[in-house]
Amino acid sequence: MKPPSSDWQNYHQRLMKKLQGYRVLTDLTVLTALDSIPRHIFVPELPLEQAFSDSAQPISDQQTISQPSLVAWMTQLLELSGSERVLEIGTGSGYQTALLSRLVKEVWSIERIQGLSARAAKVLQQLNCQNVHLRVGDGYLGWPEAAPFDRVILTAAPPQIPKALEQQLSEAGLFIAPVGNQNETQHLLRGKKQNKTLVYQQLAEVQFVPMLAD
Ligand code: SAH
């Protein structure tokens, strides 16, 4: 029997089961945190089947909510212990922000589209994410007044890693970013500081919306 449309829990459980089956997603703390974040509240206009599918989905303003397995993997790659202050560029729906909020001390998240940021703020409040600071602005500038950050994560792809953001990363920091032009293959990069220099490792081919300059 098909569940009634208000019964999102079945869809949520099915998605969580799928993610638990991915061998690359080894961090149970990340998966447990994700289990407390039902994705449909970020995309209330979508049918539940789409809201809980493991794929990027459209939100407003030609933007997307990221793919759950990729959100989980990128979060896992941040190697969080709970004490971190994290800078996120591209709040979007707030889905990645909410997951970070459950796993770190503070999240500082920048979004260039006012309407998206306002909507994310409401959902984050609904989920009781109290350690999140949102700003509407140009992510290329980062958040210098709140720097340094232990982690920086981009959820939109710039053509190159912005220097200003590298400068806002702390000494033992980690940087995760999709990088590349829209019509070319983008790569997910992870940067670690080695003797004060950020050294990047290329991890996977990905497809993100562009990180736009204002
Ligand atoms: N993590 C988000 C993904 C949003 S898509 C989610 O799961 O919902 C990427 C977001 O980056 C878009 O909302 C887009 O508006 C935003 N963005 C693009 N360029 C930006 C910039 N220069 N500064 C801040 N946000 C930017």
Side-chain angles (χ1 to χ4, degrees):
M1 202 175 84
K2 246 182 137 197
S5 60
S6 64
D7 191 9
W8 56 267
Q9 267 128 338
N10 290 331
Y11 288 97
H12 176 66
Q13 273 163 18
R14 211 177 307 159
L15 172 62
M16 290 311 302
K17 262 226 155 71
K18 187 166 189 176
L19 300 186
Q20 283 153 11
Y22 288 140
R23 250 193 269 166
V24 68
L25 299 179
T26 50
D27 191 335
L28 292 184
T29 314
V30 171
L31 289 176
T32 304
L34 200 59
D35 195 19
S36 74
I37 302 167
R39 194 169 181 243
H40 68 307
I41 63 174
F42 297 89
V43 282
E45 63 285 357
L46 292 186
L48 288 174
E49 190 151 355
Q50 244 174 291
F52 286 103
S53 75
D54 187 26
S55 57
Q57 292 291 331
I59 52 178
S60 58
D61 304 275
Q62 284 99 52
Q63 303 305 322
T64 54
I65 182 171
S66 306
Q67 181 180 1
S69 52
L70 189 52
V71 168
W73 188 47
M74 284 170 72
T75 307
Q76 178 177 306
L77 288 167
L78 288 174
E79 297 178 1
L80 302 168
S81 69
S83 60
E84 294 83 4
R85 299 172 70 253
V86 181
L87 175 65
E88 177 191 34
I89 309 300
T91 315
S93 69
Y95 182 55
Q96 170 80 71
T97 319
L99 179 59
L100 289 170
S101 155
R102 295 275 199 262
L103 295 166
V104 304
K105 186 160 168 234
E106 292 166 6
V107 188
W108 303 73
S109 185
I110 307 177
E111 169 57 53
R112 59 186 287 279
I113 300 173
Q114 160 86 50
L116 287 180
S117 184
R119 214 173 93 161
K122 281 199 191 130
V123 180
L124 291 165
Q125 204 172 6
Q126 216 179 315
L127 287 170
N128 200 25
C129 297
Q130 292 179 0
N131 56 349
V132 176
H133 305 258
L134 298 181
R135 167 182 277 188
V136 178
D138 181 5
Y140 276 95
L141 305 175
W143 203 319
E145 315 89 278
F149 298 98
D150 305 300
R151 303 288 186 266
V152 176
I153 177 169
L154 313 189
T155 71
Q160 285 114 29
I161 304 262
K163 283 273 169 287
L165 299 183
E166 287 187 334
Q167 283 160 7
Q168 291 174 31
L169 186 69
S170 72
E171 275 318 307
L174 276 177
F175 203 118
I176 297 274
V179 175
N181 292 311
Q182 280 314 288
N183 35 12
E184 293 166 11
T185 308
Q186 298 169 9
H187 290 103
L188 187 66
L189 303 186
R190 178 164 69 168
K192 276 192 188 186
K193 283 219 173 152
Q194 288 173 12
N195 304 322
K196 305 206 174 210
T197 314
L198 259 169
V199 179
Y200 287 96
Q201 194 190 353
Q202 200 168 291
L203 298 172
E205 288 187 6
V206 286
Q207 192 65 57
F208 278 80
V209 297
M211 182 164 160
L212 299 171
D214 280 329

